[in-house]
Amino acid sequence: MLTRPFKLSKTDLVYFTAFILLLAGMPLADPDYFWHLKTGDYIVAHGALPAGDVFSFTRAGQPWVLHEWLFEVLLHAVFAGAGDIGVKALVAVLGLAALALVFGMARRLAASAGLAWIPVAIAAPVIASSLAPRPQMLTYLCLALYLGALLAFKYAGAIRPLFALPFVMVVWVNGHAGYAIGIVLLVLFAACEWLGWLAQPVRNPEQKRRLLRLAQAICLVVLASLANPGLFERWLYPFQVLGMTVNDMIQEWQSPDFHWLPAKAYLALVLLFLVANTYAARKPDLTELALPLFFAFNGCIAVRHMPLAVLVLVPFTALALARSPFAAIGARIHGSAPVRWYMARRGTGKELGKGEFVLNWLAAGVIALCVPAYVHGLQKGEPAAPDVKLAGAADFIAAHGLGGRLFNAYGDGGYLIYRLAPHARVAIDGRADVYGDGFIKDYMRVYDGAADWQPKFERLGVDLAVLPLDAPIRQLLLASPGFREVYRDKHYAVLQRDLPASRAKEAA
């Protein structure tokens, strides 16, 4: 008799296939990945969190809220133990686990795997587009866990899962600032449920007791969010980031472009949710309407909110489909004479018995055979250079022992930190909260070659400039005395400041 771990169902096979595809095709080129990895290295090497910024020369020693330190330590451990393939596996597991959790919720609410697969299939491109070795992967998983506990409370009367949420919060608050989304979800859910109870003609006292237990769990979650190195400071941090005006210049904080496939899939899921609820025989209650619409609205505001929105939309869309005529139409088609005739001759699939699992394992083995050649080419201990166009310039700087103050493009700071710190310090990187609105606006004026670029640039005291070939500031530096180009490939150039005669003699 096969035990459960050896029973590879068709659903398990789908997730296994997705996992293998992600291992084989996921690039490790996200700019923020590299400074997260370097931060994890620093924390482990020093046995403590840095007291201030240690990677840039423009903000050296300035306060730095390390709200993602736990994920960065995990990233360091995985990379140290398994290299690139381990990092890809970590990202794939976190993303697929979140999707699997909401699929399970959808299947239970709709009482149909077929109806659950519809919103999951539509949501898959959105989740796939957001997979990267960054701390928000932890937020996807934690949000799914929180949503699962709340839906179990609402539809199954389960209380115990609520009191596991404070323990999840301890991990979440130290892994990513997205922990605030969990608290927002809890408060919004509780407010809707209380309003629904108050609106009842006859109020059920047992339901009130359950809602009071929910309120207790929320209080414990809020207290658990203080279990972080910054205590109350961590409560203010998400609002400070959301309030930064430079977010309008960062792509992931902009509204989605609905010509982009994942954005089209996102819009399709939102429309399916609305249409299914419009034609549902039983209309949604306040919670079933407010929660998905709140997250759907935020997904339309910023690209980085889209994955969170689809995780919430999937189970509620499946529930709406189960209540709509779509489910009845499917049942009629399944019960029609041609389908019954076909099923009677085809069989139900149960005739295979244990053989079904054997066939699934064989299929999984065939799929897995595509990966070893790719995995064999990965070298442990260094991120895959072909994924990063900046690798050649970084190799040149490291090989020639260059360092000091580097002026760089915003998106390149993370990789330069990983490759060159502490011998070189960058001007800027993806930690927008560290640099602030004022500095980033001045930096952009310099980078774009605005009228006042030169005095602002000179105040930085730059030693090297590592810039894309099409960067406006590169053309200006080449046309002005003081810098010469010492390296160039088809993507990047390295410009070095000419030493004054006195300094040249000292260097000699």
PDB file of all heavy atoms in Angstrom, residues 450-461:
ATOM      1  N   ALA A 450      21.224  67.321 -16.234  1.00  0.00           N
ATOM      2  CA  ALA A 450      20.481  68.582 -16.125  1.00  0.00           C
ATOM      3  C   ALA A 450      21.457  69.757 -16.080  1.00  0.00           C
ATOM      4  O   ALA A 450      22.681  69.583 -15.953  1.00  0.00           O
ATOM      5  CB  ALA A 450      19.599  68.568 -14.878  1.00  0.00           C
ATOM      6  N   ALA A 451      20.931  70.968 -16.171  1.00  0.00           N
ATOM      7  CA  ALA A 451      21.770  72.170 -16.263  1.00  0.00           C
ATOM      8  C   ALA A 451      22.750  72.286 -15.093  1.00  0.00           C
ATOM      9  O   ALA A 451      23.877  72.784 -15.266  1.00  0.00           O
ATOM     10  CB  ALA A 451      20.880  73.404 -16.353  1.00  0.00           C
ATOM     11  N   ASP A 452      22.344  71.855 -13.907  1.00  0.00           N
ATOM     12  CA  ASP A 452      23.205  71.993 -12.728  1.00  0.00           C
ATOM     13  C   ASP A 452      23.925  70.693 -12.373  1.00  0.00           C
ATOM     14  O   ASP A 452      24.301  70.477 -11.222  1.00  0.00           O
ATOM     15  CB  ASP A 452      22.373  72.469 -11.532  1.00  0.00           C
ATOM     16  CG  ASP A 452      21.208  71.522 -11.227  1.00  0.00           C
ATOM     17  OD1 ASP A 452      20.894  70.656 -12.090  1.00  0.00           O
ATOM     18  OD2 ASP A 452      20.613  71.642 -10.145  1.00  0.00           O
ATOM     19  N   TRP A 453      24.135  69.815 -13.343  1.00  0.00           N
ATOM     20  CA  TRP A 453      24.702  68.504 -13.033  1.00  0.00           C
ATOM     21  C   TRP A 453      26.138  68.592 -12.504  1.00  0.00           C
ATOM     22  O   TRP A 453      26.513  67.847 -11.598  1.00  0.00           O
ATOM     23  CB  TRP A 453      24.684  67.612 -14.274  1.00  0.00           C
ATOM     24  CG  TRP A 453      25.725  67.939 -15.308  1.00  0.00           C
ATOM     25  CD1 TRP A 453      25.620  68.800 -16.336  1.00  0.00           C
ATOM     26  CD2 TRP A 453      27.059  67.388 -15.369  1.00  0.00           C
ATOM     27  NE1 TRP A 453      26.785  68.846 -17.056  1.00  0.00           N
ATOM     28  CE2 TRP A 453      27.690  67.981 -16.488  1.00  0.00           C
ATOM     29  CE3 TRP A 453      27.782  66.481 -14.604  1.00  0.00           C
ATOM     30  CZ2 TRP A 453      29.002  67.683 -16.861  1.00  0.00           C
ATOM     31  CZ3 TRP A 453      29.089  66.184 -14.969  1.00  0.00           C
ATOM     32  CH2 TRP A 453      29.682  66.773 -16.081  1.00  0.00           C
ATOM     33  N   GLN A 454      26.943  69.501 -13.081  1.00  0.00           N
ATOM     34  CA  GLN A 454      28.374  69.481 -12.780  1.00  0.00           C
ATOM     35  C   GLN A 454      28.705  69.816 -11.326  1.00  0.00           C
ATOM     36  O   GLN A 454      29.453  69.069 -10.675  1.00  0.00           O
ATOM     37  CB  GLN A 454      29.134  70.405 -13.727  1.00  0.00           C
ATOM     38  CG  GLN A 454      30.629  70.153 -13.711  1.00  0.00           C
ATOM     39  CD  GLN A 454      31.313  70.683 -14.955  1.00  0.00           C
ATOM     40  OE1 GLN A 454      30.762  71.509 -15.679  1.00  0.00           O
ATOM     41  NE2 GLN A 454      32.525  70.221 -15.215  1.00  0.00           N
ATOM     42  N   PRO A 455      28.185  70.922 -10.754  1.00  0.00           N
ATOM     43  CA  PRO A 455      28.515  71.174  -9.339  1.00  0.00           C
ATOM     44  C   PRO A 455      28.012  70.072  -8.412  1.00  0.00           C
ATOM     45  O   PRO A 455      28.690  69.735  -7.424  1.00  0.00           O
ATOM     46  CB  PRO A 455      27.821  72.516  -9.063  1.00  0.00           C
ATOM     47  CG  PRO A 455      26.821  72.702 -10.149  1.00  0.00           C
ATOM     48  CD  PRO A 455      27.381  72.008 -11.342  1.00  0.00           C
ATOM     49  N   LYS A 456      26.852  69.517  -8.722  1.00  0.00           N
ATOM     50  CA  LYS A 456      26.331  68.418  -7.884  1.00  0.00           C
ATOM     51  C   LYS A 456      27.234  67.199  -7.994  1.00  0.00           C
ATOM     52  O   LYS A 456      27.511  66.513  -6.996  1.00  0.00           O
ATOM     53  CB  LYS A 456      24.903  68.057  -8.309  1.00  0.00           C
ATOM     54  CG  LYS A 456      23.869  69.135  -8.012  1.00  0.00           C
ATOM     55  CD  LYS A 456      22.487  68.693  -8.472  1.00  0.00           C
ATOM     56  CE  LYS A 456      21.434  69.771  -8.253  1.00  0.00           C
ATOM     57  NZ  LYS A 456      21.202  70.062  -6.836  1.00  0.00           N
ATOM     58  N   PHE A 457      27.712  66.930  -9.193  1.00  0.00           N
ATOM     59  CA  PHE A 457      28.582  65.771  -9.392  1.00  0.00           C
ATOM     60  C   PHE A 457      29.933  65.973  -8.698  1.00  0.00           C
ATOM     61  O   PHE A 457      30.447  65.055  -8.050  1.00  0.00           O
ATOM     62  CB  PHE A 457      28.786  65.532 -10.889  1.00  0.00           C
ATOM     63  CG  PHE A 457      29.678  64.370 -11.208  1.00  0.00           C
ATOM     64  CD1 PHE A 457      29.191  63.077 -11.205  1.00  0.00           C
ATOM     65  CD2 PHE A 457      31.024  64.566 -11.493  1.00  0.00           C
ATOM     66  CE1 PHE A 457      30.016  62.002 -11.493  1.00  0.00           C
ATOM     67  CE2 PHE A 457      31.864  63.506 -11.781  1.00  0.00           C
ATOM     68  CZ  PHE A 457      31.352  62.214 -11.781  1.00  0.00           C
ATOM     69  N   GLU A 458      30.493  67.149  -8.819  1.00  0.00           N
ATOM     70  CA  GLU A 458      31.808  67.403  -8.221  1.00  0.00           C
ATOM     71  C   GLU A 458      31.768  67.293  -6.701  1.00  0.00           C
ATOM     72  O   GLU A 458      32.748  66.892  -6.078  1.00  0.00           O
ATOM     73  CB  GLU A 458      32.332  68.767  -8.650  1.00  0.00           C
ATOM     74  CG  GLU A 458      32.727  68.858 -10.122  1.00  0.00           C
ATOM     75  CD  GLU A 458      33.808  67.856 -10.488  1.00  0.00           C
ATOM     76  OE1 GLU A 458      34.658  67.547  -9.622  1.00  0.00           O
ATOM     77  OE2 GLU A 458      33.807  67.362 -11.630  1.00  0.00           O
ATOM     78  N   ARG A 459      30.665  67.657  -6.122  1.00  0.00           N
ATOM     79  CA  ARG A 459      30.541  67.564  -4.649  1.00  0.00           C
ATOM     80  C   ARG A 459      30.611  66.110  -4.171  1.00  0.00           C
ATOM     81  O   ARG A 459      30.924  65.856  -3.011  1.00  0.00           O
ATOM     82  CB  ARG A 459      29.242  68.214  -4.185  1.00  0.00           C
ATOM     83  CG  ARG A 459      29.300  69.732  -4.126  1.00  0.00           C
ATOM     84  CD  ARG A 459      28.189  70.303  -3.276  1.00  0.00           C
ATOM     85  NE  ARG A 459      26.879  70.066  -3.843  1.00  0.00           N
ATOM     86  CZ  ARG A 459      26.250  70.893  -4.678  1.00  0.00           C
ATOM     87  NH1 ARG A 459      26.847  72.024  -5.066  1.00  0.00           N
ATOM     88  NH2 ARG A 459      25.055  70.617  -5.142  1.00  0.00           N
ATOM     89  N   LEU A 460      30.337  65.163  -5.066  1.00  0.00           N
ATOM     90  CA  LEU A 460      30.366  63.755  -4.673  1.00  0.00           C
ATOM     91  C   LEU A 460      31.782  63.215  -4.559  1.00  0.00           C
ATOM     92  O   LEU A 460      32.020  62.210  -3.883  1.00  0.00           O
ATOM     93  CB  LEU A 460      29.575  62.911  -5.683  1.00  0.00           C
ATOM     94  CG  LEU A 460      28.072  63.195  -5.779  1.00  0.00           C
ATOM     95  CD1 LEU A 460      27.444  62.360  -6.893  1.00  0.00           C
ATOM     96  CD2 LEU A 460      27.383  62.887  -4.450  1.00  0.00           C
ATOM     97  N   GLY A 461      32.748  63.835  -5.222  1.00  0.00           N
ATOM     98  CA  GLY A 461      34.130  63.366  -5.154  1.00  0.00           C
ATOM     99  C   GLY A 461      34.315  61.975  -5.716  1.00  0.00           C
ATOM    100  O   GLY A 461      34.990  61.122  -5.120  1.00  0.00           O
TER     101      GLY A 461
END
